Amino acid sequence: MTNEKKNSASPAMSASGTTATAAAATTGSETTSATSASQTAASTLKSVESLDKSNEMARGLNNRHVQFIAIGGTIGTGLFLGSGKSIALTGPSIVFVYIAVGVIMFLLMRAIGELMYRDPSQHTFINFITRYLGNGWGHFAGWSYWIVLVLIGMSEITAVSTYFITFFDTFGIDLSGFKWLIELCFLAALVTINLIAVKAFGEAEFWFSMIKITLICAMIATAVVMVVIGYHYDAVQVTGQDAVSPAGHAGFDNITNNFSIAPNGWLAFLMSFQMVFYAYEMIEFVGVTVSETQNPRKVLPKAVNEIIVRVLIFYVGALVAIMVIVPWTSFTPNKDGSFASPFIMVFQYAGLKWAAALVFFVVITAASSALNSLLYSAGRHLYQLARESESPTFQKVGQVSSRHVPARAILFSAALILLSPAVNAIPGMSSAFVLFASASSAVIIFIYVLTMIAHRKYRRSADFIADGFVMPAWKVTNTLAIAFFVFVYCTLFLADDTRGSAIAGVVWLAVFGGYCLLRDRWRTRGLREALRE
C-alpha cells in the first residue's frame, strides 16, 4: 500500500496527511481546524459513497446487528455479578448514580455520533482526535486505546475460563486443570468469527446480546410477578454467599425502609460513581462499527438515541427489580470481600435451584461477547495505527484480507491477549499486570476527555454542518461531560484499591503523552525546515 493511498483515507477526514501534520505543528490545534476548513465543504454533507472511496472494509453490518451491538456494549458481566457490591455501597440511591452516569455516557455517545455522522468512513473515533487536536494527541490516544483493549482482553479471557469452570462446577464437574485449554479454545473460536467476515461478527454479537437481554427480562418479569402476588420466601443458602440469606418478601418497602442517599457515608457514595462508570466502559464501541455499517447515517443516530432507553430498562429496571425482592441491607460481603450475584439470589428465592448454572451460563456469554468486541475493536485500531505508520514493516499489519477484514491486526492483537495465562503464571509479572490492567481503566478517561475536546474543536471549525446528527446545547453538555470525567478520575484517589491505578494513569499521561507531543513537534520542525529550503 503506497503512502499516497494511505493518506487519501477520506477526502473529508484524512487522519494522517503530512499537510495536516505540518499545519498542526506550525500554529497548533487552531490551525488544524483552519486546515480542515480548506479541505472540506462546510455547507454540505458529502455522500457516504464519496467518502468510502478508500474504505477497504465491507459494510456488512445491518440495522439489526448495530442495535444489538449497542445493547451488548451497554450490558457487561458487572451487571450480573458486580451489582451486589454497588447496592451494598450506597443502597437504593445507586439507581440515581446509574442514571446520572448513564446520561453522561449518552452525551459522550452523542458527541461521537455527531463526528462519525460527519464522516462515516472512519474506522475509529480516535481519528477525530488526530484531526482536531493534532498528531501528537492522536498518536497518544490511538496507541493508548489499543493497549487498553489488549489489557482488558487479557482480563476477559481469564474471566471467561473462570466462569466456564464455575458453570461446570455447579454440576460437580471439575475443569480447573484445563483452564489454559479453555482460554485457547474460546479465543480461537472468537478469532475465527472475526476473520470470517464482519457479518459473522455481527451475527455472533446479535445472539450474545439476545441471551443477555432474555435473562434480564426474565428476572424483571419474575420480580413483577413476585411483587403482585405478595410473594414470601424462606431462608435459603444462596450459591456464592457464605451466610444463609434470611427469609423475606417481595415488595417496594424493601427499597423505602431505612432509605438514605448515603447510608455508608458520602465517601462511599462518591466512590460508587467510579464503580458505575466502569460498568458503562466500552459503551463507545458502537462508534467503531460505523465504517462497516450499511446506511450508517440512518442506523447510527437510532442506535445512539436508544442508549438512554437501554440504561433505564437494563440497568435501572434490573436494579429496582432486584431490590424489591432482596432488601438492600441484605447485601453483605463474604469473608474474601466478594458478593453473591443478585440475579442468582432472585431466582433462588423464586425456587429455581439451578439458578447459579443459568446465571453463569449467561455470564459466560457476556464475557465472550466482551472479548469478541474487544478483538474486533483492537483489530480496527491496530489496523488504523499501521496505516498511519511510516515503518514499511508495520504497514504490512494494516492490510485487509480478501474477506475485507483487518486479519493481520486481529491476529496480532489476539496473540498478545493469549499471553494472559503465561503472565498470570509468573508472580512478579502477575502483580505488574494487575497494576497495568487497573491503570488502563484510568487511561480510558483520558481518551473520553480528548474525544470531547475534539468535538468542541469540530463544532468551532468550518467542518461543522448544521444538518448533521447535532449534539444538543453542545457548549453546556460537552463541558458537563468533561467536568464529570475529571470528577470520576479524582474519585480514583479516594480509595486504596484505586489510588495506584490513578497514579499510574497520570504517569502514563505525562510520560507517553509527553513523548508523543515532543515526537510530533520534532518531526514537524524538520518538515518546516525542509519546506523553507
Side-chain angles (χ1 to χ4, degrees):
M1 183 179 298
T2 64
N3 287 333
E4 289 78 12
K5 185 174 183 180
K6 284 198 306 168
N7 293 335
S8 64
S10 166
M13 191 68 63
S14 174
S16 60
T18 54
T19 303
T21 305
T26 304
T27 58
S29 58
E30 291 296 332
T31 305
T32 303
S33 295
T35 304
S36 67
S38 66
Q39 293 175 336
T40 60
S43 58
T44 58
L45 266 177
K46 291 191 176 182
S47 67
V48 175
E49 290 74 19
S50 66
L51 294 170
D52 263 357
K53 289 180 180 177
S54 60
N55 180 10
E56 298 178 84
M57 305 292 190
R59 291 194 175 275
L61 299 175
N62 57 37
N63 179 65
R64 173 174 60 91
H65 295 142
V66 174
Q67 296 301 324
F68 277 82
I69 286 171
I71 294 172
T74 309
I75 306 170
T77 56
L79 176 63
F80 301 109
L81 297 180
S83 50
K85 184 177 181 180
S86 301
I87 295 172
L89 200 60
T90 66
S93 63
I94 194 67
V95 170
F96 303 125
V97 178
Y98 268 93
I99 293 174
V101 179
V103 169
I104 297 299
M105 300 307 286
F106 171 69
L107 296 179
L108 169 70
M109 287 308 303
R110 282 301 301 256
I112 292 176
E114 181 174 0
L115 293 169
M116 298 301 292
Y117 188 94
R118 180 65 178 86
D119 186 359
S121 69
Q122 297 303 305
H123 304 301
T124 167
F125 62 93
I126 300 294
N127 287 354
F128 297 96
I129 295 176
T130 305
R131 175 70 174 178
Y132 295 108
L133 301 185
N135 289 305
W137 284 119
H139 190 77
F140 168 79
W143 278 107
S144 296
Y145 196 74
W146 178 74
I147 292 171
V148 165
L149 291 173
V150 171
L151 288 173
I152 296 177
M154 294 174 75
S155 299
E156 288 292 344
I157 190 65
T158 302
V160 167
S161 60
T162 301
Y163 300 148
F164 193 83
I165 291 170
T166 304
F167 171 72
F168 277 93
D169 190 54
T170 59
F171 299 102
I173 303 173
D174 183 14
L175 295 179
S176 56
F178 299 94
K179 186 176 175 65
W180 66 271
L181 182 60
I182 293 170
E183 293 178 3
L184 178 63
C185 291
F186 262 96
L187 190 63
L190 296 177
V191 167
T192 301
I193 290 172
N194 273 270
L195 293 180
I196 292 174
V198 70
K199 187 174 182 179
F201 163 79
E203 285 296 326
E205 281 303 296
F206 173 82
W207 289 108
F208 282 151
S209 296
M210 183 67 76
I211 293 171
K212 291 186 284 187
I213 291 169
T214 301
L215 180 67
I216 294 172
C217 292
M219 195 272 291
I220 293 175
T222 300
V224 170
V225 172
M226 292 172 75
V227 170
V228 170
I229 66 175
Y231 187 85
H232 286 70
Y233 50 84
D234 298 325
V236 63
Q237 180 64 61
V238 176
T239 305
Q241 190 174 40
D242 291 344
V244 175
S245 189
H249 70 283
F252 283 97
D253 58 319
N254 286 330
I255 295 178
T256 57
N257 288 344
N258 302 315
F259 177 82
S260 173
I261 293 294
N264 296 312
W266 288 103
L267 181 62
F269 180 76
L270 291 176
M271 288 170 57
S272 69
F273 280 89
Q274 56 171 275
M275 188 179 299
V276 173
F277 172 79
Y278 291 129
Y280 286 109
E281 196 175 74
M282 297 298 162
I283 195 174
E284 75 279 3
F285 169 66
V286 70
V288 184
T289 66
V290 178
S291 66
E292 297 171 87
T293 300
Q294 300 168 11
N295 302 316
R297 285 181 174 150
K298 179 180 179 182
V299 173
L300 177 64
K302 185 177 179 181
V304 171
N305 283 333
E306 290 182 358
I307 286 176
I308 284 293
V309 177
R310 298 186 194 108
V311 167
L312 292 175
I313 294 176
F314 300 121
Y315 276 107
V316 176
L319 289 171
V320 171
I322 289 168
M323 286 187 287
V324 296
I325 298 173
V326 188
W328 63 271
T329 53
S330 298
F331 289 96
T332 55
N334 296 320
K335 292 180 180 179
D336 61 356
S338 64
F339 286 78
S341 166
F343 281 73
I344 294 176
M345 296 175 76
V346 169
F347 287 124
Q348 286 195 336
Y349 287 158
L352 195 63
K353 295 182 179 180
W354 45 275
L358 171 65
V359 172
F360 271 101
F361 169 74
V362 176
V363 166
I364 292 170
T365 301
S368 300
S369 173
L371 183 58
N372 192 37
S373 298
L374 286 166
L375 282 170
Y376 175 94
S377 187
R380 270 63 183 176
H381 281 88
L382 186 61
Y383 164 80
Q384 184 66 40
L385 290 168
R387 282 170 57 92
E388 296 172 0
S389 174
E390 294 180 348
S391 167
T393 302
F394 186 39
Q395 285 177 10
K396 294 179 181 179
V397 177
Q399 293 183 6
V400 174
S401 70
S402 59
R403 295 182 177 272
H404 301 286
V405 296
R408 295 182 179 181
I410 292 171
L411 288 170
F412 187 82
S413 300
L416 291 182
I417 291 174
L418 196 58
L419 292 176
S420 179
V423 170
N424 288 325
I426 304 173
M429 286 289 290
S430 179
S431 58
F433 168 70
V434 171
L435 175 62
F436 282 118
S438 59
S440 68
S441 296
V443 172
I444 282 286
I445 299 178
F446 297 145
I447 307 299
Y448 290 168
V449 171
L450 289 173
T451 301
M452 298 308 295
I453 296 174
H455 174 258
R456 294 180 73 88
K457 292 286 187 178
Y458 161 73
R459 289 300 295 258
R460 292 192 175 108
S461 74
D463 288 355
F464 170 66
I465 51 167
D467 58 343
F469 182 43
V470 179
M471 182 179 182
W474 71 274
K475 289 184 179 180
V476 176
T477 52
N478 185 291
T479 303
L480 178 63
I482 293 175
F484 176 80
F485 293 139
V486 173
F487 159 72
V488 170
Y489 200 94
C490 289
T491 64
L492 296 176
F493 291 94
L494 298 177
D496 294 336
D497 59 343
T498 57
R499 192 174 297 119
S501 64
I503 294 172
V506 172
V507 171
W508 178 258
L509 176 65
V511 175
F512 186 58
Y515 161 75
C516 290
L517 294 176
L518 290 174
R519 168 182 173 273
D520 181 52
R521 179 173 294 185
W522 179 265
R523 291 174 62 199
T524 51
R525 185 177 68 175
L527 178 59
R528 288 200 308 272
E529 291 175 353
L531 290 173
R532 289 192 188 119
E533 295 176 1

